[in-house]
Short mmCIF file of all heavy atoms in Angstrom, two decimals:
data_model
loop_
_atom_site.label_atom_id
_atom_site.label_comp_id
_atom_site.label_asym_id
_atom_site.label_seq_id
_atom_site.Cartn_x
_atom_site.Cartn_y
_atom_site.Cartn_z
N PHE H 515 0.86 -1.23 0.00
CA PHE H 515 0.00 0.02 0.00
C PHE H 515 0.86 1.25 0.02
O PHE H 515 0.71 2.16 -0.83
CB PHE H 515 -0.91 -0.03 1.24
CG PHE H 515 -1.86 1.12 1.34
CD1 PHE H 515 -3.14 1.06 0.78
CD2 PHE H 515 -1.51 2.29 2.00
CE1 PHE H 515 -4.01 2.10 0.88
CE2 PHE H 515 -2.36 3.36 2.11
CZ PHE H 515 -3.64 3.27 1.55
N ALA H 516 1.84 1.29 0.91
CA ALA H 516 2.73 2.45 1.01
C ALA H 516 3.60 2.61 -0.22
O ALA H 516 3.79 3.70 -0.73
CB ALA H 516 3.58 2.35 2.28
N GLY H 517 4.13 1.50 -0.72
CA GLY H 517 4.97 1.56 -1.89
C GLY H 517 4.25 2.07 -3.13
O GLY H 517 4.81 2.84 -3.92
N HIS H 518 2.98 1.69 -3.26
CA HIS H 518 2.20 2.11 -4.42
C HIS H 518 1.95 3.62 -4.35
O HIS H 518 2.04 4.35 -5.36
CB HIS H 518 0.86 1.36 -4.45
CG HIS H 518 0.04 1.65 -5.66
ND1 HIS H 518 0.52 1.50 -6.92
CD2 HIS H 518 -1.25 2.05 -5.79
CE1 HIS H 518 -0.44 1.79 -7.77
NE2 HIS H 518 -1.50 2.15 -7.14
N ILE H 519 1.65 4.12 -3.19
CA ILE H 519 1.48 5.59 -3.02
C ILE H 519 2.72 6.37 -3.31
O ILE H 519 2.71 7.42 -3.98
CB ILE H 519 0.90 5.90 -1.60
CG1 ILE H 519 -0.53 5.41 -1.47
CG2 ILE H 519 0.99 7.40 -1.32
CD1 ILE H 519 -1.15 5.70 -0.13
N ILE H 520 3.87 5.84 -2.82
CA ILE H 520 5.14 6.55 -3.01
C ILE H 520 5.47 6.59 -4.51
O ILE H 520 5.88 7.66 -5.03
CB ILE H 520 6.26 5.86 -2.23
CG1 ILE H 520 6.09 6.05 -0.75
CG2 ILE H 520 7.63 6.38 -2.69
CD1 ILE H 520 7.00 5.28 0.11
N LEU H 521 5.34 5.49 -5.22
CA LEU H 521 5.63 5.50 -6.66
C LEU H 521 4.65 6.41 -7.41
O LEU H 521 5.07 7.14 -8.34
CB LEU H 521 5.53 4.07 -7.21
CG LEU H 521 6.62 3.09 -6.81
CD1 LEU H 521 6.39 1.73 -7.43
CD2 LEU H 521 7.99 3.60 -7.22
N ALA H 522 3.42 6.40 -7.03
CA ALA H 522 2.43 7.26 -7.70
C ALA H 522 2.77 8.72 -7.45
O ALA H 522 2.60 9.62 -8.31
CB ALA H 522 1.03 6.94 -7.21
N PHE H 523 3.23 9.04 -6.24
CA PHE H 523 3.54 10.42 -5.87
C PHE H 523 4.68 10.96 -6.75
O PHE H 523 4.56 12.01 -7.41
CB PHE H 523 3.92 10.53 -4.40
CG PHE H 523 4.47 11.88 -4.00
CD1 PHE H 523 3.62 12.91 -3.75
CD2 PHE H 523 5.85 12.07 -3.89
CE1 PHE H 523 4.09 14.16 -3.41
CE2 PHE H 523 6.33 13.31 -3.52
CZ PHE H 523 5.46 14.35 -3.31
N PHE H 524 5.80 10.26 -6.83
CA PHE H 524 6.97 10.71 -7.57
C PHE H 524 6.68 10.72 -9.06
O PHE H 524 7.14 11.66 -9.77
CB PHE H 524 8.21 9.91 -7.24
CG PHE H 524 8.79 10.20 -5.91
CD1 PHE H 524 8.82 9.24 -4.91
CD2 PHE H 524 9.33 11.47 -5.63
CE1 PHE H 524 9.38 9.53 -3.66
CE2 PHE H 524 9.89 11.74 -4.40
CZ PHE H 524 9.89 10.80 -3.39
N SER H 525 5.96 9.74 -9.57
CA SER H 525 5.66 9.71 -11.02
C SER H 525 4.74 10.88 -11.38
O SER H 525 4.87 11.48 -12.48
CB SER H 525 5.06 8.41 -11.41
OG SER H 525 3.85 8.13 -10.71
N SER H 526 3.79 11.21 -10.51
CA SER H 526 2.89 12.31 -10.77
C SER H 526 3.58 13.67 -10.74
O SER H 526 3.33 14.56 -11.49
CB SER H 526 1.69 12.31 -9.81
OG SER H 526 2.12 12.60 -8.46
N VAL H 527 4.58 13.77 -9.80
CA VAL H 527 5.38 15.00 -9.78
C VAL H 527 6.18 15.19 -11.08
O VAL H 527 6.18 16.25 -11.67
CB VAL H 527 6.37 14.95 -8.58
CG1 VAL H 527 7.44 16.03 -8.68
CG2 VAL H 527 5.65 15.09 -7.27
N GLY H 528 6.82 14.07 -11.57
CA GLY H 528 7.52 14.14 -12.80
C GLY H 528 6.61 14.50 -13.97
O GLY H 528 6.99 15.34 -14.79
N PHE H 529 5.48 13.84 -14.06
CA PHE H 529 4.58 14.12 -15.18
C PHE H 529 4.03 15.55 -15.14
O PHE H 529 3.98 16.21 -16.19
CB PHE H 529 3.39 13.14 -15.13
CG PHE H 529 2.36 13.39 -16.23
CD1 PHE H 529 2.58 12.79 -17.47
CD2 PHE H 529 1.26 14.14 -15.99
CE1 PHE H 529 1.63 13.02 -18.47
CE2 PHE H 529 0.32 14.34 -16.99
CZ PHE H 529 0.51 13.81 -18.25
N TRP H 530 3.67 16.03 -13.96
CA TRP H 530 3.04 17.34 -13.83
C TRP H 530 4.04 18.46 -14.27
O TRP H 530 3.71 19.32 -15.07
CB TRP H 530 2.60 17.56 -12.42
CG TRP H 530 2.15 18.96 -12.17
CD1 TRP H 530 2.88 19.97 -11.57
CD2 TRP H 530 0.89 19.55 -12.50
NE1 TRP H 530 2.15 21.14 -11.51
CE2 TRP H 530 0.94 20.93 -12.10
CE3 TRP H 530 -0.24 19.08 -13.13
CZ2 TRP H 530 -0.14 21.76 -12.30
CZ3 TRP H 530 -1.31 19.93 -13.32
CH2 TRP H 530 -1.26 21.25 -12.90
N PHE H 531 5.25 18.42 -13.71
CA PHE H 531 6.17 19.53 -13.98
C PHE H 531 6.84 19.44 -15.34
O PHE H 531 7.36 20.45 -15.81
CB PHE H 531 7.26 19.57 -12.85
CG PHE H 531 6.69 20.11 -11.55
CD1 PHE H 531 6.44 19.28 -10.48
CD2 PHE H 531 6.48 21.47 -11.42
CE1 PHE H 531 5.97 19.80 -9.28
CE2 PHE H 531 5.96 22.00 -10.24
CZ PHE H 531 5.73 21.12 -9.15
N LEU H 532 6.82 18.26 -15.97
CA LEU H 532 7.44 18.16 -17.29
C LEU H 532 6.45 18.35 -18.41
O LEU H 532 6.78 18.75 -19.51
CB LEU H 532 8.13 16.83 -17.45
CG LEU H 532 9.42 16.63 -16.64
CD1 LEU H 532 9.94 15.19 -16.86
CD2 LEU H 532 10.45 17.64 -17.03
N PHE H 533 5.15 18.09 -18.15
CA PHE H 533 4.16 18.15 -19.24
C PHE H 533 3.03 19.13 -18.97
O PHE H 533 2.45 19.65 -19.90
CB PHE H 533 3.57 16.74 -19.47
CG PHE H 533 4.59 15.76 -19.92
CD1 PHE H 533 5.15 14.86 -19.05
CD2 PHE H 533 4.95 15.70 -21.26
CE1 PHE H 533 6.09 13.94 -19.49
CE2 PHE H 533 5.91 14.77 -21.70
CZ PHE H 533 6.46 13.90 -20.82
N GLU H 534 2.70 19.40 -17.71
CA GLU H 534 1.56 20.25 -17.40
C GLU H 534 2.00 21.65 -17.02
O GLU H 534 1.34 22.64 -17.36
CB GLU H 534 0.73 19.64 -16.25
CG GLU H 534 0.11 18.32 -16.61
CD GLU H 534 -1.03 18.43 -17.60
OE1 GLU H 534 -1.59 19.53 -17.73
OE2 GLU H 534 -1.31 17.45 -18.29
N ARG H 535 3.10 21.84 -16.30
CA ARG H 535 3.53 23.11 -15.86
C ARG H 535 5.00 23.30 -16.17
O ARG H 535 5.84 23.13 -15.28
CB ARG H 535 3.26 23.23 -14.32
CG ARG H 535 3.53 24.61 -13.80
CD ARG H 535 2.58 25.67 -14.43
NE ARG H 535 1.17 25.39 -14.15
CZ ARG H 535 0.53 25.81 -13.07
NH1 ARG H 535 1.14 26.53 -12.16
NH2 ARG H 535 -0.73 25.54 -12.88
N LEU H 536 5.30 23.48 -17.43
CA LEU H 536 6.69 23.48 -17.91
C LEU H 536 7.31 24.88 -17.66
O LEU H 536 7.03 25.85 -18.38
CB LEU H 536 6.78 23.13 -19.37
CG LEU H 536 8.17 22.90 -19.97
CD1 LEU H 536 8.86 21.74 -19.22
CD2 LEU H 536 8.04 22.56 -21.44
N THR H 537 8.15 24.99 -16.65
CA THR H 537 8.86 26.20 -16.32
C THR H 537 10.33 25.84 -16.04
O THR H 537 10.62 24.64 -15.84
CB THR H 537 8.25 26.90 -15.10
OG1 THR H 537 8.39 26.04 -13.94
CG2 THR H 537 6.79 27.25 -15.31
N PRO H 538 11.24 26.77 -16.00
CA PRO H 538 12.64 26.45 -15.68
C PRO H 538 12.74 25.67 -14.34
O PRO H 538 13.48 24.69 -14.25
CB PRO H 538 13.30 27.78 -15.63
CG PRO H 538 12.53 28.63 -16.60
CD PRO H 538 11.12 28.20 -16.41
N LEU H 539 12.02 26.18 -13.33
CA LEU H 539 12.07 25.45 -12.04
C LEU H 539 11.32 24.14 -12.16
O LEU H 539 11.73 23.11 -11.58
CB LEU H 539 11.41 26.34 -10.95
CG LEU H 539 11.32 25.71 -9.55
CD1 LEU H 539 12.70 25.33 -9.02
CD2 LEU H 539 10.59 26.62 -8.61
N GLY H 540 10.23 24.10 -12.90
CA GLY H 540 9.45 22.91 -13.08
C GLY H 540 10.21 21.80 -13.74
O GLY H 540 10.02 20.62 -13.39
N VAL H 541 11.08 22.16 -14.70
CA VAL H 541 11.86 21.15 -15.36
C VAL H 541 12.77 20.41 -14.36
O VAL H 541 12.89 19.15 -14.37
CB VAL H 541 12.71 21.76 -16.48
CG1 VAL H 541 13.75 20.76 -17.05
CG2 VAL H 541 11.84 22.27 -17.62
N GLY H 542 13.38 21.19 -13.46
CA GLY H 542 14.25 20.56 -12.45
C GLY H 542 13.43 19.66 -11.55
O GLY H 542 13.92 18.53 -11.24
N LEU H 543 12.30 20.11 -11.09
CA LEU H 543 11.46 19.30 -10.23
C LEU H 543 10.92 18.06 -10.94
O LEU H 543 10.84 16.94 -10.38
CB LEU H 543 10.28 20.13 -9.69
CG LEU H 543 10.64 21.25 -8.70
CD1 LEU H 543 9.44 22.08 -8.37
CD2 LEU H 543 11.26 20.67 -7.45
N GLY H 544 10.61 18.27 -12.24
CA GLY H 544 10.11 17.14 -13.03
C GLY H 544 11.17 16.04 -13.19
O GLY H 544 10.92 14.86 -13.07
N VAL H 545 12.42 16.49 -13.53
CA VAL H 545 13.51 15.53 -13.71
C VAL H 545 13.77 14.80 -12.37
O VAL H 545 14.01 13.61 -12.33
CB VAL H 545 14.76 16.25 -14.20
CG1 VAL H 545 15.99 15.28 -14.14
CG2 VAL H 545 14.56 16.74 -15.62
N LEU H 546 13.74 15.57 -11.24
CA LEU H 546 13.93 14.94 -9.92
C LEU H 546 12.82 13.94 -9.67
O LEU H 546 13.11 12.83 -9.14
CB LEU H 546 13.89 16.04 -8.87
CG LEU H 546 14.06 15.56 -7.42
CD1 LEU H 546 15.39 14.84 -7.23
CD2 LEU H 546 13.92 16.70 -6.46
N GLY H 547 11.57 14.27 -10.04
CA GLY H 547 10.51 13.31 -9.83
C GLY H 547 10.72 12.03 -10.62
O GLY H 547 10.48 10.92 -10.13
N VAL H 548 11.21 12.16 -11.88
CA VAL H 548 11.44 10.98 -12.74
C VAL H 548 12.55 10.14 -12.13
O VAL H 548 12.47 8.90 -12.07
CB VAL H 548 11.80 11.40 -14.17
CG1 VAL H 548 12.27 10.21 -14.99
CG2 VAL H 548 10.57 12.06 -14.85
N LEU H 549 13.67 10.80 -11.70
CA LEU H 549 14.78 10.06 -11.12
C LEU H 549 14.35 9.34 -9.85
O LEU H 549 14.75 8.17 -9.61
CB LEU H 549 15.93 11.03 -10.84
CG LEU H 549 16.64 11.62 -12.02
CD1 LEU H 549 17.72 12.64 -11.60
CD2 LEU H 549 17.29 10.53 -12.88
N MET H 550 13.58 9.99 -9.01
CA MET H 550 13.11 9.36 -7.78
C MET H 550 12.16 8.20 -8.09
O MET H 550 12.15 7.19 -7.38
CB MET H 550 12.38 10.39 -6.90
CG MET H 550 13.33 11.38 -6.20
SD MET H 550 14.55 10.53 -5.16
CE MET H 550 13.50 9.69 -3.96
N THR H 551 11.39 8.33 -9.17
CA THR H 551 10.52 7.22 -9.57
C THR H 551 11.31 6.01 -9.95
O THR H 551 11.03 4.87 -9.54
CB THR H 551 9.63 7.67 -10.75
OG1 THR H 551 8.83 8.79 -10.39
CG2 THR H 551 8.71 6.52 -11.15
N VAL H 552 12.42 6.23 -10.68
CA VAL H 552 13.29 5.12 -11.09
C VAL H 552 13.96 4.48 -9.85
O VAL H 552 13.96 3.25 -9.69
CB VAL H 552 14.37 5.60 -12.07
CG1 VAL H 552 15.39 4.48 -12.36
CG2 VAL H 552 13.73 6.06 -13.36
N VAL H 553 14.48 5.32 -8.97
CA VAL H 553 15.15 4.79 -7.76
C VAL H 553 14.14 4.05 -6.88
O VAL H 553 14.43 2.94 -6.38
CB VAL H 553 15.79 5.96 -6.95
CG1 VAL H 553 16.29 5.45 -5.62
CG2 VAL H 553 16.92 6.55 -7.76
N MET H 554 12.97 4.63 -6.64
CA MET H 554 11.99 4.01 -5.79
C MET H 554 11.42 2.71 -6.43
O MET H 554 11.02 1.78 -5.70
CB MET H 554 10.86 4.96 -5.42
CG MET H 554 11.33 6.14 -4.57
SD MET H 554 12.19 5.67 -3.06
CE MET H 554 10.94 4.70 -2.22
N THR H 555 11.36 2.68 -7.75
CA THR H 555 10.89 1.48 -8.41
C THR H 555 11.89 0.32 -8.15
O THR H 555 11.49 -0.80 -7.88
CB THR H 555 10.74 1.68 -9.91
OG1 THR H 555 9.74 2.71 -10.14
CG2 THR H 555 10.34 0.40 -10.63
N ALA H 556 13.19 0.61 -8.24
CA ALA H 556 14.20 -0.40 -7.95
C ALA H 556 14.09 -0.87 -6.50
O ALA H 556 14.19 -2.08 -6.22
CB ALA H 556 15.59 0.17 -8.25
N PHE H 557 13.94 0.09 -5.61
CA PHE H 557 13.77 -0.24 -4.18
C PHE H 557 12.51 -1.05 -3.95
O PHE H 557 12.52 -2.00 -3.17
CB PHE H 557 13.77 1.04 -3.37
CG PHE H 557 13.65 0.82 -1.89
CD1 PHE H 557 14.68 0.26 -1.16
CD2 PHE H 557 12.47 1.12 -1.20
CE1 PHE H 557 14.58 0.05 0.21
CE2 PHE H 557 12.33 0.92 0.15
CZ PHE H 557 13.43 0.35 0.87
N GLU H 558 11.45 -0.70 -4.67
CA GLU H 558 10.17 -1.39 -4.50
C GLU H 558 10.26 -2.84 -4.97
O GLU H 558 9.61 -3.75 -4.43
CB GLU H 558 9.06 -0.65 -5.27
CG GLU H 558 7.69 -1.21 -5.04
CD GLU H 558 7.16 -1.02 -3.61
OE1 GLU H 558 7.83 -0.32 -2.80
OE2 GLU H 558 6.12 -1.61 -3.30
N LEU H 559 11.04 -3.07 -6.04
CA LEU H 559 11.25 -4.43 -6.52
C LEU H 559 11.87 -5.29 -5.42
O LEU H 559 11.48 -6.46 -5.24
CB LEU H 559 12.16 -4.41 -7.75
CG LEU H 559 11.47 -4.00 -9.06
CD1 LEU H 559 12.54 -3.76 -10.13
CD2 LEU H 559 10.45 -5.00 -9.50
N LEU H 560 12.85 -4.73 -4.72
CA LEU H 560 13.47 -5.45 -3.59
C LEU H 560 12.43 -5.74 -2.50
O LEU H 560 12.38 -6.87 -2.00
CB LEU H 560 14.62 -4.63 -3.04
CG LEU H 560 15.31 -5.23 -1.79
CD1 LEU H 560 15.91 -6.58 -2.06
CD2 LEU H 560 16.35 -4.27 -1.25
#
C-alpha cells in the first residue's frame, strides 16, 4: 500500500512539472521526480 502511493507520488510529480507546468524550475522538479521514480521502483522491486 505504502509503496504504491510513493511510486504514484513521484511519477505524478515528474509528469506534472514536465508536461503540465513546464517552467525552468518545473523542469528541475520534473526531472527529480522521474529520477526518484526510477530509484523507488528499484527499491520497491526489492
Side-chain angles (χ1 to χ4, degrees):
F515 182 90
H518 187 52
I519 289 182
I520 290 172
L521 289 181
F523 172 80
F524 285 115
S525 60
S526 66
V527 168
F529 178 84
W530 172 261
F531 285 104
L532 289 178
F533 296 99
E534 296 290 337
R535 188 62 62 87
L536 189 59
T537 63
L539 177 60
V541 170
L543 292 174
V545 171
L546 179 61
V548 171
L549 291 177
M550 287 301 300
T551 300
V552 173
V553 171
M554 294 307 299
T555 298
F557 181 70
E558 187 66 9
L559 284 170
L560 174 62

